[in-house]
Amino acid sequence: MSSHHTHPQSRLAPAARLLIERIHRAGRPPMQAMTPAQARAFYDLGGPILDLQPPPAVDRVLDIRVPVRQGHCCPARLYAPHSDTALPVLLYLHGGGFTVGSLTTHDGLCRQLSRHGHCAVVSLDYRLAPEHRFPTALHDAWDALIWLQQAGASLGLNPDRIAVGGDSAGGTLAAVCALMARDAGLKLALQLLFYPGCTGRSNLPSHHAYGQGFLLDLETIDWFFDHYIDRGERDDWRFAPLNADDHSGVAAAWIGLAECDPLVDGGVRYADTLRMAGVPVDLEIYRGMVHGFATMGRALPDALTAHADAGRALQQAFGD
C-alpha cells in the first residue's frame, strides 16, 4: 500500500479516532513500561472492556487440555454449535506479541467465529515469552494441530476438516503452521489471518506511517520481539513467514487487515506472495481501522463486519 497519507491520522475511521483519544486521555501506560506479568494482567482486564458485551452465546463452551511436547499440557477452550454430526474445527491462536494474551482476551472473537463459521473453534493458551522463547509458541501450536487431527473425533470434531487461524502474533503462528502442514502432508481447509505479523523487521512504509499513535507502536513491537526471539534469528521463516523459500501448495487464505496498522504492508505482501505462488487468497482491508480491532467490537463496530466476513470464509472452506 504505497498511498499512506502525508497525514496518516486523516485515514482513521471516526470510531477509531475516538477510541485512540479515549485511551490517550485515560493515561494508559504503554506495555513496554510494564513487566510481562503486569502487561498480561492489564490486557486480561482491559481487553474485554472494548469487546462485545455480553459475550455472544455459543451452545457448547468447554475448557480442555491439549498435550504438547516436553510433557506439557496447554489449557484450551472449545466453542461449538449444537450438531448431530462431527464438526469442522478452527484451531485459533490469539494475538499478543507472543508475550501477552489468553483465552480470556479472545473469548468474544472465538465465539463470533464459531457462530458465523458454523464450526467448532479451539482456542489455544500456548506458552508465552519471555518465560518460553522462540520457537516454543510455534511448537505448541503445531502440536495442538496434530493433536486435533488425531484426537479431535473424541470431542465431536471432524479431523478431515481443520483450519488454522489467529490474529497478529497468532496470525504469524497460523501462517507458519500452514507452511508446516503443507510440508507434513496435512491438508488444511483454510488459514484465517487477522493482521498477521509476516516480517521480522519493522522497515516497511506502514511501519513508519502508523508506527506511533495507532494502538500498536513500534516500541511495543520491539518490546514483544525482544521478549520472544534473539535479533539474529528474526529472518527465520518460522518467525517471518514472508521469508519462507516456497509458498506454493499451502492452504487457501482469508486475510483481514486494518488499514491504519504498522503491519498492513507486510500483510499485503504476504497476500501477494501467496497469490504469486498460486494459492487462493481472499484479502479484506478494513478502511480506517487499527491493529487489534477484531477484538474491540464494542468500541469499533467494523469488527462485526470482519467477524461475518471471516465466518463466511470458514463456511465456504468447510463446504457448508
Side-chain angles (χ1 to χ4, degrees):
M1 299 187 73
S2 54
S3 60
H4 301 306
H5 263 224
T6 336
H7 300 293
Q9 304 289 109
S10 64
R11 295 192 149 233
L12 283 169
R17 183 177 290 117
L18 193 65
L19 175 61
I20 288 169
E21 285 169 4
R22 268 175 49 203
I23 290 171
H24 187 67
R25 277 204 307 274
R28 192 187 86 169
M31 278 205 181
Q32 61 269 23
M34 307 180 198
T35 66
Q38 288 169 333
R40 285 175 203 148
F42 187 84
Y43 188 23
D44 273 7
L45 209 61
I49 292 170
L50 301 176
D51 213 344
L52 299 170
Q53 303 290 341
V58 175
D59 293 327
R60 185 160 64 120
V61 180
L62 183 67
D63 283 340
I64 60 175
R65 297 185 79 73
V66 175
V68 295
R69 66 193 71 181
Q70 299 164 322
H72 182 74
C73 273
C74 290
R77 189 168 292 158
L78 168 70
Y79 304 84
H82 176 73
S83 176
D84 295 324
T85 56
L87 284 162
V89 58
L90 168 70
L91 173 66
Y92 195 81
L93 306 162
H94 69 75
F98 310 100
T99 308
V100 304
S102 67
L103 302 180
T104 303
T105 55
H106 287 65
D107 179 70
L109 176 55
C110 289
R111 287 168 178 270
Q112 285 287 82
L113 293 173
S114 175
R115 285 162 60 99
H116 286 288
H118 302 172
C119 63
V121 174
V122 171
S123 179
L124 183 72
D125 205 356
Y126 56 85
R127 285 175 284 182
L128 297 173
E131 295 87 346
H132 303 281
R133 289 173 65 83
F134 172 82
T136 305
L138 176 61
H139 287 165
D140 286 351
W142 175 251
D143 291 351
L145 197 57
I146 297 300
W147 178 83
L148 271 180
Q149 193 199 23
Q150 292 173 348
S154 65
L155 290 167
L157 309 176
N158 183 341
D160 297 321
R161 293 161 87 201
I162 298 176
V164 65
D167 60 293
S168 196
T172 307
L173 295 172
V176 175
C177 279
L179 286 158
M180 293 170 67
R182 174 206 59 194
D183 294 344
L186 168 58
K187 192 172 173 350
L188 295 177
L190 186 72
Q191 48 180 324
L192 184 89
L193 313 175
F194 288 98
Y195 32 83
C198 299
T199 65
R201 316 259 161 208
S202 298
N203 56 5
L204 297 175
S206 61
H207 286 112
H208 303 297
Y210 305 117
Q212 195 168 12
F214 293 85
L215 290 197
L216 177 64
D217 288 351
L218 294 186
E219 280 186 21
T220 312
I221 294 174
D222 288 343
W223 185 81
F224 285 145
F225 283 10
D226 286 341
H227 283 310
Y228 180 58
I229 188 166
D230 295 344
R231 285 176 186 265
E233 291 185 288
R234 290 188 191 172
D235 293 320
D236 190 314
W237 66 272
R238 297 171 301 159
F239 175 66
L242 199 51
N243 293 346
D245 288 338
D246 176 19
H247 293 83
S248 62
V250 301
W254 180 89
I255 302 176
L257 306 177
E259 181 186 19
C260 302
D261 178 353
L263 304 191
V264 67
D265 284 355
V268 171
R269 282 196 184 187
Y270 201 62
D272 287 346
T273 299
L274 292 177
R275 280 183 181 139
M276 298 270 285
V279 177
V281 176
D282 185 359
L283 172 65
E284 298 283 349
I285 300 175
Y286 297 90
R287 298 289 163 200
M289 282 297 103
V290 288
H291 192 81
F293 81 97
T295 49
M296 300 175 181
R298 190 178 179 185
L300 301 174
D302 288 44
L304 302 175
T305 309
H307 300 162
D309 292 344
R312 263 194 308 278
L314 286 164
Q315 283 191 52
Q316 286 167 2
F318 288 139
D320 282 4

